[in-house]
Amino acid sequence: MGDTVTVHGQLTGAVVHGAGRGRGLGFPTANVAADPDSRVPPSAIYSGWVVRHSTGAVHRGTISIGSNPTFCDTADVHVEVYCHDTSDEFYGERVGLWFVARIRDTVKFASPDDLVRAARQDVLRSEALLASDRGRRVLTDALAAYERTFSA
Ligand SMILES: Cc1cc2nc3c(=O)[nH]c(=O)nc-3n(C[C@H](O)[C@H](O)[C@H](O)COP(=O)(O)O)c2cc1C
């Protein structure tokens, strides 16, 4: 496994409908329409925390930012997160994505099976990163920011 790179910051947005392909792959993702004032990190796969603004619930996630080159020929950048610990769908909800680390480049895979194999490894790597000291620190920051923003 290559070195991971630390990534800072939060991206906020609303969960919207994607192409609906993820469920069939076994990796259903929440597609996030990034707020205009959110900085979208460069295309890559990342580990990060998902904060649901309606409830403050936090999920462990693996985030894909990119044009999904395995399936799409367009340059449109999608922000998607696979939550490891819930099968909830949260269409319409607002979320914050708190990036912990960059895992790898986005790849144009030869087949969906190859993508699924890579995604399984990504999730394992992401779990380790979220549980690391840095992952815990980012979670603390995310919870503190939530308290500041949403508590009276
Ligand atoms: C962990 C993970 C890793 C991914 N890696 C790639 C990748 O390297 N290349 C790629 O084309 N798409 C990648 N994707 C994005 C998938 O192509 C995308 O989630 C899938 O096509 C479903 O899209 P939909 O939500 O619009 O239906 C990844 C998704 C996840 C969750």
mmCIF file of all heavy atoms in Angstrom, residues 17-23 25 27-31 45 62-64 67-72 78 80-82 104-109 115 118-120 122-123, ligand 1:
data_model
loop_
_atom_site.group_PDB
_atom_site.id
_atom_site.type_symbol
_atom_site.label_atom_id
_atom_site.label_comp_id
_atom_site.label_asym_id
_atom_site.label_seq_id
_atom_site.Cartn_x
_atom_site.Cartn_y
_atom_site.Cartn_z
ATOM 1 N N HIS A 17 -29.295 12.546 -6.072
ATOM 2 C CA HIS A 17 -29.291 11.242 -6.738
ATOM 3 C C HIS A 17 -28.118 11.131 -7.711
ATOM 4 O O HIS A 17 -27.834 12.062 -8.455
ATOM 5 C CB HIS A 17 -30.613 11.034 -7.490
ATOM 6 C CG HIS A 17 -31.754 10.716 -6.577
ATOM 7 N ND1 HIS A 17 -32.047 9.429 -6.190
ATOM 8 C CD2 HIS A 17 -32.627 11.512 -5.927
ATOM 9 C CE1 HIS A 17 -33.072 9.449 -5.364
ATOM 10 N NE2 HIS A 17 -33.450 10.711 -5.181
ATOM 11 N N GLY A 18 -27.429 9.986 -7.692
ATOM 12 C CA GLY A 18 -26.376 9.715 -8.668
ATOM 13 C C GLY A 18 -26.946 8.865 -9.786
ATOM 14 O O GLY A 18 -28.163 8.819 -10.001
ATOM 15 N N ALA A 19 -26.070 8.156 -10.480
ATOM 16 C CA ALA A 19 -26.504 7.323 -11.603
ATOM 17 C C ALA A 19 -27.190 6.047 -11.122
ATOM 18 O O ALA A 19 -27.784 5.323 -11.919
ATOM 19 C CB ALA A 19 -25.309 6.989 -12.486
ATOM 20 N N GLY A 20 -27.099 5.744 -9.823
ATOM 21 C CA GLY A 20 -27.754 4.559 -9.275
ATOM 22 C C GLY A 20 -26.989 3.274 -9.571
ATOM 23 O O GLY A 20 -27.539 2.183 -9.479
ATOM 24 N N ARG A 21 -25.703 3.407 -9.869
ATOM 25 C CA ARG A 21 -24.885 2.258 -10.242
ATOM 26 C C ARG A 21 -24.253 1.607 -9.020
ATOM 27 O O ARG A 21 -23.985 0.408 -8.989
ATOM 28 C CB ARG A 21 -23.777 2.790 -11.161
ATOM 29 C CG ARG A 21 -23.097 1.810 -12.043
ATOM 30 C CD ARG A 21 -21.973 2.518 -12.801
ATOM 31 N NE ARG A 21 -22.414 3.593 -13.650
ATOM 32 C CZ ARG A 21 -22.075 4.893 -13.473
ATOM 33 N NH1 ARG A 21 -21.295 5.268 -12.476
ATOM 34 N NH2 ARG A 21 -22.522 5.805 -14.300
ATOM 35 N N GLY A 22 -24.019 2.453 -7.990
ATOM 36 C CA GLY A 22 -23.233 2.007 -6.842
ATOM 37 C C GLY A 22 -23.822 0.818 -6.110
ATOM 38 O O GLY A 22 -23.096 -0.090 -5.680
ATOM 39 N N ARG A 23 -25.136 0.800 -5.977
ATOM 40 C CA ARG A 23 -25.783 -0.289 -5.233
ATOM 41 C C ARG A 23 -25.499 -1.641 -5.903
ATOM 42 O O ARG A 23 -25.186 -2.626 -5.243
ATOM 43 C CB ARG A 23 -27.287 -0.030 -5.132
ATOM 44 C CG ARG A 23 -28.021 -0.944 -4.183
ATOM 45 C CD ARG A 23 -29.365 -0.369 -3.794
ATOM 46 N NE ARG A 23 -29.247 0.906 -3.084
ATOM 47 C CZ ARG A 23 -28.917 1.019 -1.792
ATOM 48 N NH1 ARG A 23 -28.667 -0.043 -1.077
ATOM 49 N NH2 ARG A 23 -28.823 2.203 -1.231
ATOM 50 N N LEU A 25 -22.967 -2.416 -7.585
ATOM 51 C CA LEU A 25 -21.561 -2.767 -7.395
ATOM 52 C C LEU A 25 -21.298 -3.256 -5.975
ATOM 53 O O LEU A 25 -20.219 -3.762 -5.681
ATOM 54 C CB LEU A 25 -20.663 -1.543 -7.659
ATOM 55 C CG LEU A 25 -20.662 -0.963 -9.075
ATOM 56 C CD1 LEU A 25 -19.879 0.353 -9.108
ATOM 57 C CD2 LEU A 25 -20.052 -1.951 -10.058
ATOM 58 N N PHE A 27 -21.323 -1.090 -3.524
ATOM 59 C CA PHE A 27 -20.828 0.106 -2.853
ATOM 60 C C PHE A 27 -21.772 1.271 -3.116
ATOM 61 O O PHE A 27 -21.460 2.163 -3.922
ATOM 62 C CB PHE A 27 -19.396 0.448 -3.318
ATOM 63 C CG PHE A 27 -18.376 -0.501 -2.774
ATOM 64 C CD1 PHE A 27 -17.997 -1.614 -3.491
ATOM 65 C CD2 PHE A 27 -17.832 -0.300 -1.510
ATOM 66 C CE1 PHE A 27 -17.083 -2.519 -2.978
ATOM 67 C CE2 PHE A 27 -16.922 -1.197 -0.987
ATOM 68 C CZ PHE A 27 -16.544 -2.312 -1.707
ATOM 69 N N PRO A 28 -22.945 1.253 -2.476
ATOM 70 C CA PRO A 28 -23.869 2.370 -2.675
ATOM 71 C C PRO A 28 -23.252 3.654 -2.134
ATOM 72 O O PRO A 28 -22.679 3.652 -1.038
ATOM 73 C CB PRO A 28 -25.101 1.966 -1.860
ATOM 74 C CG PRO A 28 -24.625 0.951 -0.888
ATOM 75 C CD PRO A 28 -23.432 0.277 -1.511
ATOM 76 N N THR A 29 -23.332 4.712 -2.897
ATOM 77 C CA THR A 29 -22.724 5.972 -2.463
ATOM 78 C C THR A 29 -23.777 7.070 -2.368
ATOM 79 O O THR A 29 -24.754 7.062 -3.113
ATOM 80 C CB THR A 29 -21.631 6.435 -3.457
ATOM 81 O OG1 THR A 29 -22.181 6.492 -4.771
ATOM 82 C CG2 THR A 29 -20.435 5.506 -3.428
ATOM 83 N N ALA A 30 -23.544 7.978 -1.440
ATOM 84 C CA ALA A 30 -24.312 9.221 -1.398
ATOM 85 C C ALA A 30 -23.567 10.208 -2.280
ATOM 86 O O ALA A 30 -22.367 10.443 -2.086
ATOM 87 C CB ALA A 30 -24.401 9.733 0.040
ATOM 88 N N ASN A 31 -24.263 10.746 -3.279
ATOM 89 C CA ASN A 31 -23.652 11.753 -4.158
ATOM 90 C C ASN A 31 -23.868 13.126 -3.543
ATOM 91 O O ASN A 31 -24.998 13.465 -3.189
ATOM 92 C CB ASN A 31 -24.289 11.700 -5.549
ATOM 93 C CG ASN A 31 -23.863 10.468 -6.320
ATOM 94 O OD1 ASN A 31 -24.046 9.334 -5.853
ATOM 95 N ND2 ASN A 31 -23.280 10.660 -7.487
ATOM 96 N N ILE A 45 -9.255 9.099 -4.272
ATOM 97 C CA ILE A 45 -10.037 8.388 -3.266
ATOM 98 C C ILE A 45 -9.486 8.792 -1.896
ATOM 99 O O ILE A 45 -8.256 8.823 -1.707
ATOM 100 C CB ILE A 45 -9.921 6.853 -3.457
ATOM 101 C CG1 ILE A 45 -10.172 6.466 -4.919
ATOM 102 C CG2 ILE A 45 -10.860 6.120 -2.514
ATOM 103 C CD1 ILE A 45 -11.482 6.940 -5.509
ATOM 104 N N THR A 62 -15.601 6.310 2.883
ATOM 105 C CA THR A 62 -14.567 6.372 1.855
ATOM 106 C C THR A 62 -15.138 7.215 0.725
ATOM 107 O O THR A 62 -16.260 6.966 0.256
ATOM 108 C CB THR A 62 -14.193 4.965 1.354
ATOM 109 O OG1 THR A 62 -13.800 4.175 2.472
ATOM 110 C CG2 THR A 62 -13.042 5.024 0.359
ATOM 111 N N ILE A 63 -14.389 8.248 0.351
ATOM 112 C CA ILE A 63 -14.906 9.277 -0.548
ATOM 113 C C ILE A 63 -14.228 9.150 -1.910
ATOM 114 O O ILE A 63 -13.004 8.996 -1.984
ATOM 115 C CB ILE A 63 -14.634 10.675 0.063
ATOM 116 C CG1 ILE A 63 -15.288 10.790 1.451
ATOM 117 C CG2 ILE A 63 -15.123 11.785 -0.884
ATOM 118 C CD1 ILE A 63 -14.702 11.885 2.331
ATOM 119 N N SER A 64 -15.019 9.205 -2.960
ATOM 120 C CA SER A 64 -14.494 9.208 -4.329
ATOM 121 C C SER A 64 -14.782 10.571 -4.936
ATOM 122 O O SER A 64 -15.935 11.000 -4.981
ATOM 123 C CB SER A 64 -15.175 8.102 -5.146
ATOM 124 O OG SER A 64 -14.957 8.296 -6.530
ATOM 125 N N SER A 67 -14.328 11.762 -12.087
ATOM 126 C CA SER A 67 -15.297 11.691 -13.188
ATOM 127 C C SER A 67 -15.793 10.265 -13.405
ATOM 128 O O SER A 67 -16.449 10.006 -14.417
ATOM 129 C CB SER A 67 -14.647 12.247 -14.461
ATOM 130 O OG SER A 67 -13.513 11.459 -14.769
ATOM 131 N N ASN A 68 -15.486 9.338 -12.491
ATOM 132 C CA ASN A 68 -15.872 7.925 -12.641
ATOM 133 C C ASN A 68 -15.461 7.394 -14.014
ATOM 134 O O ASN A 68 -16.291 6.890 -14.778
ATOM 135 C CB ASN A 68 -17.390 7.738 -12.425
ATOM 136 C CG ASN A 68 -17.827 8.117 -11.018
ATOM 137 O OD1 ASN A 68 -16.988 8.372 -10.153
ATOM 138 N ND2 ASN A 68 -19.125 8.160 -10.780
ATOM 139 N N PRO A 69 -14.149 7.495 -14.332
ATOM 140 C CA PRO A 69 -13.695 7.180 -15.701
ATOM 141 C C PRO A 69 -13.944 5.728 -16.109
ATOM 142 O O PRO A 69 -13.973 5.435 -17.304
ATOM 143 C CB PRO A 69 -12.190 7.486 -15.651
ATOM 144 C CG PRO A 69 -11.823 7.406 -14.205
ATOM 145 C CD PRO A 69 -13.038 7.888 -13.460
ATOM 146 N N THR A 70 -14.146 4.845 -15.130
ATOM 147 C CA THR A 70 -14.446 3.445 -15.484
ATOM 148 C C THR A 70 -15.777 3.365 -16.234
ATOM 149 O O THR A 70 -15.969 2.472 -17.072
ATOM 150 C CB THR A 70 -14.495 2.583 -14.200
ATOM 151 O OG1 THR A 70 -13.269 2.763 -13.490
ATOM 152 C CG2 THR A 70 -14.718 1.107 -14.509
ATOM 153 N N PHE A 71 -16.681 4.300 -15.931
ATOM 154 C CA PHE A 71 -18.033 4.234 -16.497
ATOM 155 C C PHE A 71 -18.391 5.414 -17.392
ATOM 156 O O PHE A 71 -19.308 5.313 -18.200
ATOM 157 C CB PHE A 71 -19.073 4.171 -15.366
ATOM 158 C CG PHE A 71 -18.890 2.990 -14.451
ATOM 159 C CD1 PHE A 71 -18.262 3.127 -13.229
ATOM 160 C CD2 PHE A 71 -19.341 1.736 -14.836
ATOM 161 C CE1 PHE A 71 -18.084 2.037 -12.390
ATOM 162 C CE2 PHE A 71 -19.170 0.639 -14.004
ATOM 163 C CZ PHE A 71 -18.540 0.794 -12.784
ATOM 164 N N CYS A 72 -17.733 6.553 -17.213
ATOM 165 C CA CYS A 72 -18.177 7.793 -17.873
ATOM 166 C C CYS A 72 -17.080 8.363 -18.763
ATOM 167 O O CYS A 72 -15.891 8.274 -18.432
ATOM 168 C CB CYS A 72 -18.527 8.858 -16.828
ATOM 169 S SG CYS A 72 -19.752 8.340 -15.633
ATOM 170 N N HIS A 78 -17.649 14.128 -9.864
ATOM 171 C CA HIS A 78 -18.636 13.681 -8.890
ATOM 172 C C HIS A 78 -17.968 13.586 -7.521
ATOM 173 O O HIS A 78 -16.829 13.134 -7.413
ATOM 174 C CB HIS A 78 -19.181 12.298 -9.254
ATOM 175 C CG HIS A 78 -19.754 12.212 -10.633
ATOM 176 N ND1 HIS A 78 -21.108 12.318 -10.887
ATOM 177 C CD2 HIS A 78 -19.162 12.054 -11.844
ATOM 178 C CE1 HIS A 78 -21.309 12.224 -12.193
ATOM 179 N NE2 HIS A 78 -20.146 12.056 -12.784
ATOM 180 N N GLU A 80 -18.664 11.607 -4.139
ATOM 181 C CA GLU A 80 -19.503 10.512 -3.637
ATOM 182 C C GLU A 80 -18.873 9.939 -2.377
ATOM 183 O O GLU A 80 -17.656 9.869 -2.282
ATOM 184 C CB GLU A 80 -19.567 9.362 -4.646
ATOM 185 C CG GLU A 80 -20.036 9.749 -6.009
ATOM 186 C CD GLU A 80 -20.082 8.530 -6.930
ATOM 187 O OE1 GLU A 80 -20.008 7.395 -6.429
ATOM 188 O OE2 GLU A 80 -20.195 8.742 -8.131
ATOM 189 N N VAL A 81 -19.729 9.504 -1.473
ATOM 190 C CA VAL A 81 -19.183 8.851 -0.276
ATOM 191 C C VAL A 81 -19.896 7.538 -0.012
ATOM 192 O O VAL A 81 -21.132 7.471 -0.057
ATOM 193 C CB VAL A 81 -19.221 9.786 0.959
ATOM 194 C CG1 VAL A 81 -20.619 10.281 1.278
ATOM 195 C CG2 VAL A 81 -18.627 9.084 2.187
ATOM 196 N N TYR A 82 -19.093 6.502 0.218
ATOM 197 C CA TYR A 82 -19.612 5.202 0.655
ATOM 198 C C TYR A 82 -19.477 5.174 2.173
ATOM 199 O O TYR A 82 -18.374 5.319 2.703
ATOM 200 C CB TYR A 82 -18.801 4.066 0.010
ATOM 201 C CG TYR A 82 -19.090 2.733 0.643
ATOM 202 C CD1 TYR A 82 -20.328 2.110 0.457
ATOM 203 C CD2 TYR A 82 -18.145 2.092 1.434
ATOM 204 C CE1 TYR A 82 -20.616 0.889 1.058
ATOM 205 C CE2 TYR A 82 -18.418 0.874 2.034
ATOM 206 C CZ TYR A 82 -19.656 0.282 1.846
ATOM 207 O OH TYR A 82 -19.937 -0.921 2.444
ATOM 208 N N ARG A 104 -5.568 7.003 -2.775
ATOM 209 C CA ARG A 104 -4.964 6.671 -4.093
ATOM 210 C C ARG A 104 -5.574 7.558 -5.164
ATOM 211 O O ARG A 104 -6.578 8.238 -4.935
ATOM 212 C CB ARG A 104 -5.187 5.190 -4.438
ATOM 213 C CG ARG A 104 -6.654 4.826 -4.650
ATOM 214 C CD ARG A 104 -6.808 3.452 -5.270
ATOM 215 N NE ARG A 104 -8.192 3.006 -5.271
ATOM 216 C CZ ARG A 104 -9.079 3.262 -6.235
ATOM 217 N NH1 ARG A 104 -8.731 3.980 -7.285
ATOM 218 N NH2 ARG A 104 -10.325 2.812 -6.141
ATOM 219 N N ASP A 105 -4.955 7.485 -6.351
ATOM 220 C CA ASP A 105 -5.511 8.163 -7.520
ATOM 221 C C ASP A 105 -6.772 7.447 -7.997
ATOM 222 O O ASP A 105 -6.918 6.230 -7.805
ATOM 223 C CB ASP A 105 -4.518 8.109 -8.692
ATOM 224 C CG ASP A 105 -3.315 9.000 -8.468
ATOM 225 O OD1 ASP A 105 -3.397 9.908 -7.620
ATOM 226 O OD2 ASP A 105 -2.302 8.766 -9.142
ATOM 227 N N THR A 106 -7.635 8.188 -8.660
ATOM 228 C CA THR A 106 -8.762 7.580 -9.367
ATOM 229 C C THR A 106 -8.215 6.844 -10.598
ATOM 230 O O THR A 106 -7.325 7.347 -11.274
ATOM 231 C CB THR A 106 -9.740 8.681 -9.823
ATOM 232 O OG1 THR A 106 -10.154 9.420 -8.682
ATOM 233 C CG2 THR A 106 -10.949 8.088 -10.536
ATOM 234 N N VAL A 107 -8.765 5.656 -10.853
ATOM 235 C CA VAL A 107 -8.253 4.809 -11.945
ATOM 236 C C VAL A 107 -9.396 4.487 -12.920
ATOM 237 O O VAL A 107 -10.545 4.319 -12.490
ATOM 238 C CB VAL A 107 -7.690 3.489 -11.351
ATOM 239 C CG1 VAL A 107 -7.328 2.486 -12.442
ATOM 240 C CG2 VAL A 107 -6.494 3.778 -10.460
ATOM 241 N N LYS A 108 -9.057 4.408 -14.205
ATOM 242 C CA LYS A 108 -10.026 3.874 -15.195
ATOM 243 C C LYS A 108 -9.810 2.367 -15.245
ATOM 244 O O LYS A 108 -8.854 1.875 -15.859
ATOM 245 C CB LYS A 108 -9.780 4.515 -16.572
ATOM 246 C CG LYS A 108 -10.735 4.037 -17.654
ATOM 247 C CD LYS A 108 -10.498 4.852 -18.922
ATOM 248 C CE LYS A 108 -11.173 4.276 -20.144
ATOM 249 N NZ LYS A 108 -12.632 4.249 -20.095
ATOM 250 N N PHE A 109 -10.662 1.631 -14.546
ATOM 251 C CA PHE A 109 -10.483 0.185 -14.449
ATOM 252 C C PHE A 109 -10.979 -0.494 -15.723
ATOM 253 O O PHE A 109 -11.884 0.002 -16.411
ATOM 254 C CB PHE A 109 -11.236 -0.364 -13.237
ATOM 255 C CG PHE A 109 -10.576 -0.014 -11.925
ATOM 256 C CD1 PHE A 109 -11.102 0.979 -11.108
ATOM 257 C CD2 PHE A 109 -9.426 -0.673 -11.507
ATOM 258 C CE1 PHE A 109 -10.491 1.314 -9.906
ATOM 259 C CE2 PHE A 109 -8.810 -0.347 -10.305
ATOM 260 C CZ PHE A 109 -9.345 0.651 -9.499
ATOM 261 N N LEU A 115 -12.812 -2.636 -10.240
ATOM 262 C CA LEU A 115 -13.126 -1.487 -9.383
ATOM 263 C C LEU A 115 -13.595 -1.972 -8.000
ATOM 264 O O LEU A 115 -13.169 -1.448 -6.979
ATOM 265 C CB LEU A 115 -14.198 -0.602 -10.030
ATOM 266 C CG LEU A 115 -14.469 0.743 -9.342
ATOM 267 C CD1 LEU A 115 -15.027 1.747 -10.340
ATOM 268 C CD2 LEU A 115 -15.392 0.642 -8.156
ATOM 269 N N ALA A 118 -10.724 -3.093 -5.884
ATOM 270 C CA ALA A 118 -9.958 -1.951 -5.368
ATOM 271 C C ALA A 118 -10.741 -1.255 -4.260
ATOM 272 O O ALA A 118 -10.162 -0.866 -3.232
ATOM 273 C CB ALA A 118 -9.642 -0.977 -6.501
ATOM 274 N N ALA A 119 -12.049 -1.118 -4.441
ATOM 275 C CA ALA A 119 -12.867 -0.410 -3.448
ATOM 276 C C ALA A 119 -12.837 -1.156 -2.106
ATOM 277 O O ALA A 119 -12.814 -0.528 -1.040
ATOM 278 C CB ALA A 119 -14.295 -0.246 -3.961
ATOM 279 N N ARG A 120 -12.820 -2.492 -2.157
ATOM 280 C CA ARG A 120 -12.750 -3.261 -0.896
ATOM 281 C C ARG A 120 -11.462 -2.925 -0.142
ATOM 282 O O ARG A 120 -11.475 -2.737 1.070
ATOM 283 C CB ARG A 120 -12.774 -4.765 -1.187
ATOM 284 C CG ARG A 120 -14.134 -5.265 -1.579
ATOM 285 C CD ARG A 120 -14.248 -6.779 -1.374
ATOM 286 N NE ARG A 120 -15.448 -7.237 -2.046
ATOM 287 C CZ ARG A 120 -15.455 -7.912 -3.193
ATOM 288 N NH1 ARG A 120 -14.313 -8.299 -3.759
ATOM 289 N NH2 ARG A 120 -16.590 -8.247 -3.763
ATOM 290 N N ASP A 122 -9.749 -0.152 -0.501
ATOM 291 C CA ASP A 122 -9.850 1.252 -0.078
ATOM 292 C C ASP A 122 -10.563 1.357 1.267
ATOM 293 O O ASP A 122 -10.163 2.139 2.137
ATOM 294 C CB ASP A 122 -10.650 2.073 -1.103
ATOM 295 C CG ASP A 122 -9.991 2.156 -2.458
ATOM 296 O OD1 ASP A 122 -8.756 1.997 -2.549
ATOM 297 O OD2 ASP A 122 -10.730 2.387 -3.449
ATOM 298 N N VAL A 123 -11.626 0.584 1.418
ATOM 299 C CA VAL A 123 -12.421 0.681 2.646
ATOM 300 C C VAL A 123 -11.595 0.174 3.839
ATOM 301 O O VAL A 123 -11.629 0.772 4.918
ATOM 302 C CB VAL A 123 -13.760 -0.075 2.498
ATOM 303 C CG1 VAL A 123 -14.488 -0.168 3.829
ATOM 304 C CG2 VAL A 123 -14.638 0.619 1.463
HETATM 305 C C1 LIG B 1 -14.293 3.292 -2.540
HETATM 306 C C2 LIG B 1 -14.590 3.784 -3.933
HETATM 307 C C3 LIG B 1 -13.568 3.853 -4.867
HETATM 308 C C4 LIG B 1 -13.829 4.272 -6.167
HETATM 309 N N1 LIG B 1 -12.809 4.308 -7.077
HETATM 310 C C5 LIG B 1 -13.081 4.617 -8.370
HETATM 311 C C6 LIG B 1 -12.048 4.582 -9.359
HETATM 312 O O1 LIG B 1 -10.858 4.401 -9.081
HETATM 313 N N2 LIG B 1 -12.407 4.787 -10.659
HETATM 314 C C7 LIG B 1 -13.704 5.044 -11.023
HETATM 315 O O2 LIG B 1 -13.967 5.183 -12.213
HETATM 316 N N3 LIG B 1 -14.687 5.169 -10.100
HETATM 317 C C8 LIG B 1 -14.405 4.948 -8.786
HETATM 318 N N4 LIG B 1 -15.384 5.038 -7.852
HETATM 319 C C9 LIG B 1 -16.682 5.639 -8.209
HETATM 320 C C10 LIG B 1 -17.649 4.654 -8.824
HETATM 321 O O3 LIG B 1 -17.425 4.597 -10.213
HETATM 322 C C11 LIG B 1 -19.075 5.164 -8.525
HETATM 323 O O4 LIG B 1 -19.285 5.205 -7.140
HETATM 324 C C12 LIG B 1 -20.094 4.266 -9.176
HETATM 325 O O5 LIG B 1 -19.989 4.354 -10.559
HETATM 326 C C13 LIG B 1 -21.534 4.628 -8.732
HETATM 327 O O6 LIG B 1 -21.893 5.890 -9.180
HETATM 328 P P1 LIG B 1 -23.360 6.472 -8.844
HETATM 329 O O7 LIG B 1 -23.414 6.756 -7.366
HETATM 330 O O8 LIG B 1 -23.463 7.747 -9.661
HETATM 331 O O9 LIG B 1 -24.345 5.423 -9.242
HETATM 332 C C14 LIG B 1 -15.145 4.645 -6.537
HETATM 333 C C15 LIG B 1 -16.169 4.591 -5.577
HETATM 334 C C16 LIG B 1 -15.908 4.169 -4.303
HETATM 335 C C17 LIG B 1 -17.012 4.117 -3.290
#
